[in-house]
Amino acid sequence: MNLLKLFTGNANPALAAAVSQYLDIEIGKAHVGTFSDGEVNVEIQENVRGCDCFVLQPTCQPANTHLMELLIMIDALRRSSARRITAVIPYYGYARQDRKVRPRLPISAKLVADLISTAGTDRLLCIDLHAGQIQGFFDIPVDNLFATPVLLDAIRDRYGSQPLTIISPDAGGVERARAYAKRLNASLAIIDKRREAANVSQVMNIIGDVAGRTCVIVDDIVDTAGTLTEAATALKDAGAAVVSAAITHPVLSGPAIKRIRESSLTELVITDTVPLRPEADDCEQIRVVSISHLLSEAIRRINNVESVSSLFV
């Protein structure tokens, strides 16, 4: 076992604390703050020469600040002669900008990948990348773990005895939904969204049988919750008995909480890759399950130079 050091910025201290407790190590001593003009200021306050350093920092809101904290911490560790630096990014911001959907647009997910690599990162560990091919944007090893085992347990505990249908909210999420349905021995349905004309609300067609069944919508990100709550309404209108959702990354920006409270969703199960704002903490429909054990075990195995393949469920 190589000497393991875990550092974190200001993005998700609760998750970092849970990981450090699982690994039975203390979080590394570092000052991560800002100068009076807003520049990020980092100082590593302990010896890391020859250490295997892990920097746990999701690039969640405010994304630019947390991204800069990550980059500058990595640079500080590299210049302090750390033996290896692994960026642990539970939520990879900018992942939705992974291709050009219209002319003259950036591919920001690639730009951020270049920044992380250039800063001095030797390896990347993340959870549920928005698109698996983002791994190819990096020239360093990438371990893209899935929150599936954690969310599967949460679904089984609550709905395992009920007639269950797993819902993909769009065509792009069918592979994920099929994986859930297979492991839960559940049926599968897909929501087909179509906008008939500009400034006209989307028409949602449901492909599959949902009448009288418990429906669980699965996805990787919930941001403003517009699509999610519209899907819940469409499922209820189609006769679903219960509509819930299981989502990995709870970005929950803008009107998301208001929409969830007013929606047909019985429950929204999320992980702690992104810390919740107080308004979301107070929402009774939201239930948080932790991915800290999954992340911690991956960190332990990487540090021990063991296989992490069994964690890719």
Side-chain angles (χ1 to χ4, degrees):
M1 177 176 177
N2 301 301
L3 184 58
L4 189 157
K5 296 279 188 178
L6 176 68
F7 292 90
T8 186
N10 298 313
N12 198 339
L15 179 59
V19 169
S20 69
Q21 183 177 7
Y22 181 95
L23 294 171
D24 195 24
I25 60 172
E26 292 185 358
I27 295 176
K29 295 175 183 176
H31 168 76
V32 182
T34 57
F35 291 113
S36 59
D37 65 350
E39 287 183 12
V40 173
N41 173 31
V42 170
E43 181 183 354
I44 306 300
Q45 297 174 324
E46 62 180 277
N47 180 22
V48 296
R49 186 178 296 273
C51 294
D52 194 6
C53 295
F54 293 79
V55 182
L56 196 161
Q57 176 85 337
T59 51
C60 51
Q61 187 180 14
N64 296 338
T65 299
H66 290 150
L67 176 60
M68 286 306 300
E69 287 181 1
L70 172 69
L71 297 175
I72 295 173
M73 276 192 291
I74 291 168
D75 184 70
L77 290 167
R78 179 174 63 88
R79 295 177 188 275
S80 302
S81 301
R83 187 183 65 83
R84 181 174 65 174
I85 302 168
T86 301
V88 183
I89 309 178
Y91 170 65
Y92 183 75
Y94 290 96
R96 286 171 285 181
Q97 300 180 52
D98 63 333
R99 64 195 185 282
K100 290 181 68 170
V101 294
R102 295 188 303 277
R104 297 176 296 280
L105 289 182
I107 303 180
S108 303
K110 168 60 175 169
L111 172 62
V112 171
D114 289 342
L115 290 171
I116 292 170
S117 299
T118 302
T121 309
D122 296 298
R123 190 179 196 93
L124 177 71
L125 173 62
C126 54
I127 303 284
D128 272 353
L129 282 173
H130 183 61
Q133 56 267 32
I134 291 174
Q135 295 172 80
F137 292 176
F138 291 86
D139 294 324
I140 57 176
V142 177
D143 293 309
N144 178 33
L145 301 180
F146 303 105
T148 308
V150 176
L151 293 175
L152 279 174
D153 288 342
I155 296 170
R156 282 196 193 97
D157 290 346
R158 191 63 58 94
Y159 307 112
S161 62
Q162 302 176 23
L164 192 61
T165 298
I166 300 299
I167 310 294
S168 172
D170 51 43
V174 172
E175 184 178 356
R176 178 185 297 104
R178 185 184 293 118
Y180 276 82
K182 179 180 178 180
R183 287 166 175 80
L184 292 166
N185 196 26
S187 59
L188 175 67
I190 304 165
I191 294 179
D192 174 39
K193 295 179 293 186
R194 300 188 187 184
R195 195 176 295 277
E196 304 272 321
N199 299 320
V200 177
S201 61
Q202 293 182 130
V203 176
M204 293 199 170
N205 302 306
I206 299 170
I207 304 169
D209 181 24
V210 299
R213 301 182 67 83
T214 296
C215 296
V216 179
I217 304 166
V218 296
D219 208 350
D220 64 324
I221 300 174
V222 53
D223 190 353
T224 60
T227 297
L228 178 64
T229 53
E230 288 175 10
T233 300
L235 290 166
K236 272 291 188 180
D237 291 344
V242 175
V243 180
S244 294
I247 313 287
T248 304
H249 305 299
V251 178
L252 297 175
S253 63
I257 304 303
K258 181 176 183 291
R259 286 173 171 171
I260 290 167
R261 283 200 175 105
E262 297 172 353
S263 72
S264 304
L265 284 170
T266 301
E267 181 181 54
L268 171 60
V269 182
I270 55 174
T271 75
D272 54 354
T273 57
V274 176
L276 294 181
R277 53 182 176 166
E279 185 183 1
D281 268 329
D282 295 336
C283 182
E284 295 180 355
Q285 288 150 286
I286 293 177
R287 176 162 64 106
V288 181
V289 293
S290 182
I291 49 93
S292 59
H293 285 194
L294 179 65
L295 265 186
S296 303
E297 183 60 22
I299 290 172
R300 187 193 67 78
R301 294 187 185 192
I302 291 170
N303 176 243
N304 288 340
V305 199
E306 298 175 2
S307 172
V308 297
S309 59
S310 64
L311 301 178
F312 292 90
V313 175

